[in-house]
Amino acid sequence: MEMFDLTLIWAFIIGFGVIMYVLMDGFDLGVGILFPFAPSEQDRDTMMNSVAPVWDGNETWLVLGGAGLLGAFPLVYSILLPALYIGVFLMLSGLIFRGIAFEFRFKARTSRYLWNWAFAGGSTLAAFAQGVVVGTYIQGYETANGVFTGGALDWLTPFTVLTGLGLLAGYALLGSTWLIMKTEGRLQEWAYKITLPLLAAVLVVFGIISVWTPFIDDMVRDRWFSNLSVIWVLPVLSLLCAFQIFRSVRNRFEGMPFVATMGLFITTYLGLIVSRWPYLIPPDYTLWDAASAYNSQMFLLIGLLIVIPFVLVYTAWTYWVFRGKVRAGEGYH
């Protein structure tokens, strides 16, 4: 097997890990984003109970993706971390705060409101930071000889702030459709009520980003507009997913809004990959420029191919065990 093949396999594995994390941790981050706006404290208990059995397992994909990225594409770490130290620190801080809040909120009495804000604030901060990281990837990095040469705040621009807000709205949409599927009664009605405004916000922000992005990079503009090609099926599929969310909410379907929202994220994610392929560190370094040695990739690949099936089985089993509705007064804790 040639190095070329291993690099593509690793690109697929990392890409799969990223989308698994976005989908599976996105909805519980979305629940946290919506947390302060819930109708009552009892509803907040139900919201947290709906994700308590799965949230920590969902973050396994973040760990796997990060470790795989370090081993297979070390140049990414040597360039992206200096460029994104503050953004990554904010993201990890948010994840830590919400993780602690999961455990302490159920035991707190007089200080419960503080853990409410820790859960909501940590979720919001982590989601916004992830969106900023995505925006920074789209706009590219200043590099020279394999070293980041930009400033400490290059990641913070109007465009990256917009992508941060867009991902906040997207995760909130995932969260609301998750609550439609997992809850009932007043909380479910509230989730139905906020889903369509969230969908509108997502479409507006994603539309602005789609118009703005071609002006940031000539390569992206040429890829999308030099000729009409098969990649235009992706925005069409995104719009079809958005229509399906609208239709299923209006018809009071329970599972379909969440499935269609995942479809919206997947098609948008694929559009991002297509826009930058094969650049892993735009605008200068491709997958093959950033790849580690063949032996290193092969060694890590063997281990990961053993671990991933166990993670998939564990994840599927967890969701199966905790399937069904979460009702008030019931929960993992």
Side-chain angles (χ1 to χ4, degrees):
M1 187 180 291
E2 298 178 355
M3 179 68 170
F4 175 83
D5 298 324
L6 271 188
T7 299
L8 283 180
I9 290 171
W10 268 107
F12 173 80
I13 292 173
I14 298 298
F16 176 75
V18 170
I19 192 59
M20 286 295 289
Y21 171 75
V22 168
L23 293 177
M24 302 187 72
D25 205 37
F27 69 79
D28 63 63
L29 284 171
V31 168
I33 294 166
L34 297 173
F35 209 63
F37 310 104
S40 70
E41 191 68 16
Q42 184 183 59
D43 290 324
R44 278 187 275 273
D45 290 341
T46 305
M47 290 169 69
M48 185 170 276
N49 281 325
S50 74
V51 296
V54 298
W55 75 272
D56 47 356
N58 292 343
E59 293 190 353
T60 301
W61 296 101
L62 180 64
V63 177
L64 279 176
L69 194 63
L70 175 60
F73 302 102
L75 187 63
V76 174
Y77 270 73
S78 65
I79 292 179
L80 264 62
L81 279 185
L84 298 168
Y85 271 136
I86 299 176
V88 171
F89 172 79
L90 292 175
M91 180 189 74
L92 294 177
S93 298
L95 293 176
I96 290 170
F97 269 99
R98 69 188 298 273
I100 295 172
F102 261 111
E103 302 303 325
F104 280 83
R105 181 183 176 275
F106 286 102
K107 299 174 178 61
R109 292 295 177 263
T110 58
S111 62
R112 174 171 283 203
Y113 72 98
L114 295 176
W115 297 114
N116 285 347
W117 283 109
F119 180 60
S123 301
T124 302
L125 181 61
F128 179 76
Q130 289 175 19
V132 168
V133 169
V134 172
T136 308
Y137 172 76
I138 295 173
Q139 70 181 13
Y141 307 87
E142 293 184 21
T143 61
N145 301 318
V147 177
F148 176 67
T149 58
L153 295 178
D154 283 5
W155 57 275
L156 190 61
T157 66
F159 181 78
T160 61
V161 169
L162 183 64
T163 57
L165 294 175
L167 198 59
L168 269 177
Y171 280 171
L173 179 62
L174 269 174
S176 68
T177 54
W178 169 262
L179 293 174
I180 288 173
M181 184 173 65
K182 295 292 290 183
T183 65
E184 58 187 11
R186 178 180 61 182
L187 181 57
Q188 186 188 56
E189 284 301 315
W190 175 75
Y192 274 122
K193 180 180 178 181
I194 64 174
T195 294
L196 292 185
L198 286 172
L199 175 62
V202 168
L203 292 177
V204 169
V205 175
F206 281 16
I208 296 172
I209 292 172
S210 298
V211 172
W212 195 339
T213 299
F215 293 98
I216 293 178
D217 189 275
D218 292 338
M219 188 199 79
V220 175
R221 182 169 63 249
D222 292 341
R223 178 153 298 176
W224 283 93
F225 296 104
S226 60
N227 55 71
L228 293 178
S229 63
V230 70
I231 62 175
W232 278 94
V233 73
L234 293 173
V236 172
L237 289 174
S238 296
L239 291 175
L240 287 176
C241 288
F243 175 75
Q244 183 61 32
I245 296 169
F246 174 81
R247 176 178 170 274
S248 55
V249 169
R250 291 292 296 270
N251 288 302
R252 285 300 194 265
F253 297 154
E254 294 191 338
M256 183 54 67
F258 184 68
V259 173
T261 304
M262 289 195 295
L264 179 62
F265 267 82
I266 291 171
T267 53
T268 304
Y269 176 69
L270 292 175
L272 173 62
I273 292 176
V274 167
S275 298
R276 281 302 192 180
W277 181 266
Y279 289 91
L280 194 59
I281 310 171
D284 298 316
Y285 299 100
T286 66
L287 293 168
W288 300 275
D289 296 326
S292 60
Y294 175 86
N295 289 338
S296 297
Q297 287 192 336
M298 178 59 76
F299 177 77
L300 289 168
L301 183 62
I302 293 171
L304 205 60
L305 290 179
I306 295 173
V307 170
I308 286 180
F310 285 98
V311 175
L312 289 172
V313 170
Y314 163 78
T315 301
W317 176 251
T318 302
Y319 279 88
W320 173 256
V321 169
F322 293 99
R323 67 192 184 278
K325 296 287 186 179
V326 177
R327 296 174 176 85
E330 300 177 354
Y332 175 66
H333 283 73

